[in-house]
Amino acid sequence: MKKNVLVIDDDAVIRKSFTLALEDTGYQVDTAESGEKGLEMQKNARYDLIFLDLNMPGLDGTQVLQEIRKLDDRVPVYVVTAFYQQFFDRLRAIEKEGIKFELLKKPVDGERILLLTKSVLENPGCIRQEEDKDE
Amino acid sequence: MNELRIYLFLSSETPHSLMCVKNTRLALEERVGGQFDLEPVSLLDHPELSEERDIFVTPTLERTSPHPSVKIIADLSSIRSASAAVRLLLNDNEKK
């Protein structure tokens, strides 16, 4: 069965970079330009993996994450952010609520997007970094 | 101090993250008994380590000893997936 990936980011260049990195993989990649749009899409489809920008106008990443978790507690959600302290303050509030998320550091290149996506969506669920070889 | 030294870089200290630590520990114990040091690290608390250690995503397992260093990006949410990650992490180090 085809795996579905959702990318939620207000930056069109970032959305494009994910789409390009994952083309020819066989995964279905959907993109949303806002948190509101992303939530709407999540309500209408089942995703196996979500990439979520932290800093967006309107609903920001933490608000979107909270709403995602109300709908689906299992889907892996990677919060995509530069690792600056002021951004992390928002995530600490989420942490206190016990809401599950992972971190993906910006900027992220196509090779690493592909590496991570394969590690999440394919057996055995792990992959070696840098040398980019499977077991 | 054990020769096998491993860091587990996590996003945070949520119950899910703590479960990942537990699964990793169990997988290591099954593989090498108690002969390892496993140190969980929250990147929310130590974001500077992502740059220092080239950690771009969580969870990441890093074996720093014995050399060479190995990093594994892994799903650690189950014993099964943690076991696969530990096997890959120790692969270079094991005798056939």
Side-chain angles (χ1 to χ4, degrees):
Chain A
M1 195 155 62
K2 206 171 204 177
K3 301 282 186 173
N4 298 308
V5 179
L6 176 61
V7 181
I8 305 173
D9 198 309
D10 62 311
D11 187 330
V13 171
I14 301 287
R15 294 196 305 273
K16 187 73 177 175
S17 69
F18 275 86
T19 304
L20 286 173
L22 299 177
E23 71 182 355
D24 301 329
T25 57
Y27 305 135
Q28 174 63 39
V29 182
D30 294 334
T31 63
E33 68 274 18
S34 69
E36 290 87 349
K37 178 74 178 169
L39 287 172
E40 189 186 319
M41 292 172 75
Q42 194 208 357
K43 281 174 192 160
N44 295 323
R46 188 186 172 279
Y47 288 100
D48 301 289
L49 173 59
I50 297 176
F51 292 106
L52 171 62
D53 183 27
L54 186 60
N55 242 6
M56 292 185 290
L59 284 181
D60 74 16
T62 56
Q63 293 171 300
V64 176
L65 177 57
Q66 286 170 309
E67 294 303 314
I68 285 173
R69 285 293 175 230
K70 287 177 188 172
L71 294 169
D72 187 343
D73 191 46
R74 298 192 61 179
V75 61
V77 178
Y78 284 78
V79 174
V80 187
T81 179
F83 280 17
Y84 297 140
Q85 281 288 0
Q86 67 262 37
F87 298 159
F88 276 16
D89 287 341
R90 298 185 217 170
L91 286 170
R92 284 200 184 88
I94 291 285
E95 179 190 36
K96 284 189 177 126
E97 294 179 39
I99 292 176
K100 181 172 68 175
F101 64 93
E102 300 299 348
L103 290 170
L104 175 59
K105 187 179 177 187
K106 273 184 181 176
V108 58
D109 64 36
E111 192 178 322
R112 287 188 165 182
I113 289 170
L114 181 58
L115 194 71
L116 170 60
T117 303
K118 284 169 72 174
S119 79
V120 175
L121 297 182
E122 296 181 11
N123 277 319
C126 54
I127 202 161
R128 187 170 171 154
Q129 183 179 322
E130 290 168 341
E131 289 186 11
D132 192 22
K133 66 182 181 189
D134 294 335
E135 188 174 359
Chain B
M1 191 169 102
N2 289 296
E3 184 184 320
L4 182 58
R5 188 158 183 82
I6 296 163
Y7 290 87
L8 172 50
F9 293 95
L10 301 155
S11 60
S12 55
E13 291 182 357
T14 57
H16 172 77
S17 294
L18 297 176
M19 183 178 65
C20 291
V21 174
K22 182 182 169 188
N23 290 338
T24 304
R25 206 174 283 284
L26 285 171
L28 282 165
E29 281 167 3
E30 189 178 294
R31 199 94 181 150
V32 296
Q35 306 303 310
F36 64 90
D37 288 326
L38 175 66
E39 184 166 341
V41 178
S42 162
L43 286 186
L44 266 194
D45 293 334
H46 302 285
E48 73 284 357
L49 289 178
S50 71
E51 188 75 26
E52 287 172 24
R53 306 281 275 273
D54 189 27
I55 306 297
F56 76 96
V57 70
T58 63
T60 294
L61 281 164
E62 183 186 23
R63 187 192 81 205
T64 56
S65 174
H67 290 298
S69 168
V70 175
K71 291 191 186 81
I72 305 296
I73 299 162
D75 169 16
L76 301 171
S77 59
S78 69
I79 300 279
R80 182 172 171 271
S81 59
S83 295
V86 164
R87 268 201 305 279
L88 195 58
L89 188 73
L90 301 183
N91 204 29
D92 285 356
N93 195 41
E94 285 183 337
K95 294 174 190 170
K96 298 218 170 177

